[in-house]
Amino acid sequence: MKFTVLTIFPELVAAMRAHGILRRAVQRGQIDICAIDIREFAAGRHRVTDDRPYGGGCGMVMKPEPLAAAIRFARGRMPGASVVHLTPQGRPFCQAAAWDLALRGGLILVCGRYEGIDERVCSDFIDEEISIGDYVLTGGELPALVVIDAVARLIPGVLGGESSAVKDSFHESLLEHGHYTRPRVFEGHAVPDVLLSGNHREIEKWRREASLVRTFLKRPDLLMHRALSPAEVEILQKWRSDIEKIIRNQSLHCADSLSGDQQAG
Ligand code: 4GT
């Protein structure tokens, strides 16, 4: 899969190619990450890419001609690619969107600066708009790199055999269970016994339960929109009955503390 970023700061993209799993994937030819400098498509000795907004007001707008020329050039090199504009007004990015983008025949990522890009480029040259969250940044480059990172690791072979994208957080709307490595006891906290048992069925069962409970505690919204399997319903019912027991005992503690007796059954 090829990613091309259109930006006035191509050096920001180069850093992404140079490290870790993405560097390995580029070296193996599984992905390619290129930057195109929009300024190279700007006219005149000063290669100006921005201009004052019609109607007045503060800030500058990215001029349409250099951007349109850069997009046409990128499209010429990547005929099957989708053209994505990173903007706070776009569709919210999520793991499902990453899986969807991973199926495309390449991505051309258009990054704005200043107040953004001329509206006529948005309407005539962009296939889709993506936002990485409800906050405003100084440019679309970080969002483009976020999208590249999330999509690239889903391309077959990029993560390598040892780790798998289907066990990630958000797979089947669940967060991942906790991870442990040596030492067995760290500052008084031991690794759960089952993980040392060597019983792979029990370990898998513990991980599924840890995943479900962690999702309930940290992100109940993820479970709200998801069907639960009978086994998962059973796990949550067990937790509910444990919680109810604790609450029942609390009322005993209250009655006891009034009579001076601290014991509860
Ligand atoms: C936030 C996001 C984004 C910006 C986001 C126009 C000039 C937009 C700066 C740009 N801020 N781009 N894609 N939440 N800022 O995805």
Side-chain angles (χ1 to χ4, degrees), residues 85-90 111-117 130-141 143-144:
H85 176 212
L86 290 308
T87 159
Q89 301 184 10
C111 304
R113 282 269 157 178
Y114 320 112
E115 299 302 309
I117 71 179
I130 290 178
S131 164
I132 62 159
D134 291 345
Y135 42 82
V136 178
L137 304 167
T138 58
E141 287 79 7

Side-chain angles (χ1 to χ4, degrees), residues 52-232:
R52 300 200 319 271
Y54 274 118
C58 55
M60 299 292 270
V61 177
M62 301 222 7
K63 290 167 66 63
E65 307 95 321
L67 253 178
I71 294 171
R72 284 201 172 100
F73 175 79
R75 271 209 205 117
R77 292 208 307 201
M78 300 169 66
S82 301
V83 181
V84 174
H85 176 212
L86 290 308
T87 159
Q89 301 184 10
R91 185 162 58 100
F93 190 57
C94 63
Q95 191 64 27
W99 281 109
D100 172 52
L101 292 180
L103 302 173
R104 307 298 175 86
L107 292 178
I108 296 167
L109 300 147
V110 180
C111 304
R113 282 269 157 178
Y114 320 112
E115 299 302 309
I117 71 179
D118 187 285
E119 190 59 30
R120 293 159 293 182
V121 173
C122 300
S123 52
D124 298 355
F125 291 83
I126 302 296
D127 296 320
E128 61 202 282
E129 300 181 326
I130 290 178
S131 164
I132 62 159
D134 291 345
Y135 42 82
V136 178
L137 304 167
T138 58
E141 287 79 7
L142 281 176
L145 296 179
V146 165
V147 169
I148 290 172
D149 195 280
V151 172
R153 62 193 291 291
L154 302 180
I155 306 294
V158 166
L159 286 185
E162 68 283 4
S163 48
S164 154
V166 298
K167 288 187 178 171
D168 287 337
S169 285
F170 305 113
H171 182 68
E172 295 182 347
S173 295
L174 291 176
L175 302 181
E176 250 196 306
H177 54 79
H179 298 278
Y180 298 87
T181 185
R182 291 182 292 183
R184 197 164 162 169
V185 179
F186 173 68
E187 299 197 349
H189 300 285
V191 172
D193 280 336
V194 60
L195 297 180
L196 310 167
S197 70
N199 183 337
H200 294 289
R201 268 175 54 108
E202 284 301 310
I203 291 171
E204 201 39 52
K205 199 172 140 223
W206 179 88
R207 286 181 170 161
R208 276 203 306 273
E209 171 158 353
S211 196
L212 182 66
V213 171
R214 179 170 277 225
T215 307
F216 169 68
L217 292 173
K218 295 189 176 189
R219 291 290 306 277
D221 59 299
L222 292 176
L223 295 180
M224 228 56 102
H225 307 287
R226 174 184 184 279
L228 298 171
S229 71
E232 289 169 338

